[in-house]
Amino acid sequence: DLKKFFIDAFKILNKDGYFIFDINTFFGFDEVAQGSLNINLKDKFIAIDAFFEDKKLNTDITFFSETKNGLYNKEEGRVTQYYYETIFLKTILEEVGFVIEEVINFNLHSTEESDKHIFICKK
């Protein structure tokens, strides 16, 4: 599915168009994104639990919001993100036809190591 996504992105871009995206680094998944966060406000509560295992970050989100009659609605969902080595992504992007102009190391949530890579690709 990832290669098909890159093929579709390539197809819809104009000649010399740019495709820019970011990914989490291994450090970003393992040290930054993984863990729990709870936010408790007067009329709503959110719990986020993220677990990184087998190159997948599964993030479970539970949201409670108070209704007009004092009861609470509960909503739940899961987001799954996959870790890919940079060299693997570069190979697929080049196979599709992209020219990788730059991969930027970016520190969004950490000063220790880069937790993101920003890919700048040109058609």
Side-chain angles (χ1 to χ4, degrees), residues 57-74:
L57 179 75
N58 287 310
T59 303
D60 295 318
I61 302 167
T62 306
F63 180 69
F64 291 91
S65 58
E66 188 175 12
T67 64
K68 290 180 183 177
N69 57 7
L71 300 176
Y72 282 82
N73 284 331
K74 178 182 177 184

Side-chain angles (χ1 to χ4, degrees), residues 3-120:
K3 187 170 185 177
K4 182 179 179 337
F5 173 77
F6 289 151
I7 290 168
D8 290 344
F10 188 84
K11 283 180 185 177
I12 65 166
L13 279 175
N14 293 329
K15 183 179 186 286
D16 296 324
Y18 283 90
F19 175 48
I20 301 171
F21 65 95
D22 73 89
I23 62 165
N24 288 325
T25 63
F26 186 85
F27 176 81
F29 275 123
D30 195 45
E31 297 293 328
V32 178
Q34 181 168 231
S36 296
L37 173 67
N38 295 306
I39 301 170
N40 191 1
L41 302 174
K42 182 180 176 182
D43 60 346
K44 53 187 86 90
F45 175 82
I46 187 167
I48 301 169
D49 294 300
F51 303 94
F52 183 59
E53 186 174 67
D54 298 325
K55 297 187 177 183
K56 288 192 288 189
L57 179 75
N58 287 310
T59 303
D60 295 318
I61 302 167
T62 306
F63 180 69
F64 291 91
S65 58
E66 188 175 12
T67 64
K68 290 180 183 177
N69 57 7
L71 300 176
Y72 282 82
N73 284 331
K74 178 182 177 184
E75 297 177 54
E76 295 179 283
R78 173 174 271 191
V79 176
T80 302
Q81 298 176 62
Y82 299 90
Y83 170 74
Y84 296 101
E85 297 280 343
T86 302
I87 192 69
F88 173 76
L89 294 172
K90 284 181 176 180
T91 300
I92 294 175
L93 289 161
E94 289 171 350
E95 285 175 4
V96 166
F98 280 109
V99 174
I100 301 166
E101 294 203 340
E102 191 172 5
V103 178
I104 301 168
N105 293 326
F106 190 75
N107 297 60
L108 182 63
H109 299 286
S110 170
T111 57
E112 296 175 49
E113 288 184 42
S114 298
D115 51 69
K116 297 273 188 191
H117 290 306
I118 300 171
F119 281 73
I120 302 173

